[in-house]
């Protein structure tokens, strides 16, 4: 009963009637259904565990196992999902802030986050250093960045280079 936007965790056994837990996991990945998965099995081997983890399983547990082991795996999976949601929410806010920048402010932000000085940026764009200072101040304000390091972190988080 998966519902996008709701927190949860899928516990799947490798051997299930109809579709194996690993095949179910592959199906979820193919259909961009992002829910943390814990795979359990009584018949595991290293290649099977590797396949599960490469497909994004949070954990791979072999039977027999203590109930607490499974509960700990589920807790880790839900904490991981919450962290992912928080990261996605932060990226969405950054994207909204980026959308508020003018094309010139985008250019200035790009060059600032590359480590270029105001003077270098001014020379590249054919404007005064004072003009760049004004653009840079507006970029910092619109992006709600308290420091250059924070602005760089934002730029990296939306570019996928983090």
């Amino acid at each position: 009963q998966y519902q996008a936007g709701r927190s949860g965790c899928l516990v799947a056994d490798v051997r299930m009637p109809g579709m194996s837990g690993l095949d179910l996991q592959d199906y979820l990945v193919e259909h961009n259904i992002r829910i943390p998965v814990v795979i359990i099995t009584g018949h595991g081997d290293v290649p099977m565990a590797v396949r599960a983890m490469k497909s994004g399983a949070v954990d791979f547990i072999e039977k027999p196992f203590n109930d607490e082991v499974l509960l700990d795996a589920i807790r880790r999976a839900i904490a991981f999902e919450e962290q992912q949601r928080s990261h996605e929410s932060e990226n969405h806010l950054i994207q909204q802030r980026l959308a508020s920048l003018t094309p010139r402010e985008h250019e200035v932000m790009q060059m600032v986050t590359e480590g270029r000085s105001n003077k270098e940026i001014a020379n590249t764009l054919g404007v005064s250093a004072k003009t760049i200072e004004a653009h840079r101040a507006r970029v910092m304000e619109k992006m709600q960045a308290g420091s250059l390091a924070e602005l760089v972190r934002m730029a990296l988080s939306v570019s996928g280079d983090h």
Side-chain angles (χ1 to χ4, degrees):
Q1 296 184 336
Y2 171 77
Q3 292 180 343
R6 286 191 61 196
S7 187
C9 173
L10 173 67
V11 178
D13 198 322
V14 169
R15 292 193 179 173
M16 299 187 306
M19 179 184 280
S20 78
L22 296 175
D23 291 340
L24 174 58
Q25 185 183 17
D26 290 343
Y27 174 87
L28 296 174
V29 169
E30 288 171 22
H31 290 85
N32 201 29
I33 297 172
R34 298 184 310 166
I35 183 170
V37 177
V38 174
I39 300 288
I40 60 174
T41 185
H43 313 282
D45 57 27
V46 172
M48 189 181 296
V50 168
R51 175 182 168 195
M53 300 308 277
K54 279 186 174 181
S55 292
V58 176
D59 215 332
F60 185 90
I61 303 172
E62 290 187 87
K63 296 176 192 177
F65 53 81
N66 173 310
D67 289 349
E68 203 55 40
V69 169
L70 179 60
L71 291 173
D72 286 345
I74 292 169
R75 285 185 198 105
R76 278 192 307 275
I78 290 173
F80 174 76
E81 180 187 42
E82 287 172 0
Q83 181 182 19
Q84 291 296 106
R85 285 181 194 271
S86 174
H87 180 71
E88 288 172 8
S89 176
E90 182 180 330
N91 274 354
H92 181 70
L93 284 174
I94 293 169
Q95 292 286 359
Q96 287 178 323
R97 292 173 190 161
L98 280 171
S100 74
L101 299 179
T102 66
R104 178 63 84 178
E105 289 166 350
H106 271 282
E107 281 181 299
V108 170
M109 179 179 163
Q110 171 84 31
M111 290 185 231
V112 164
T113 58
E114 290 171 354
R116 296 174 68 180
S117 70
N118 287 353
K119 186 176 178 180
E120 289 175 309
I121 297 169
N123 288 337
T124 300
L125 298 178
V127 296
S128 74
K130 284 254 187 238
T131 300
I132 296 305
E133 287 175 24
H135 284 308
R136 186 174 179 156
R138 280 195 303 278
V139 167
M140 296 295 283
E141 181 183 330
K142 287 181 177 182
M143 293 302 295
Q144 298 176 22
S147 67
L148 177 58
E150 190 176 354
L151 185 67
V152 169
R153 183 191 56 76
M154 288 181 202
L156 290 173
S157 73
V158 295
S159 73
D161 293 344
H162 52 110

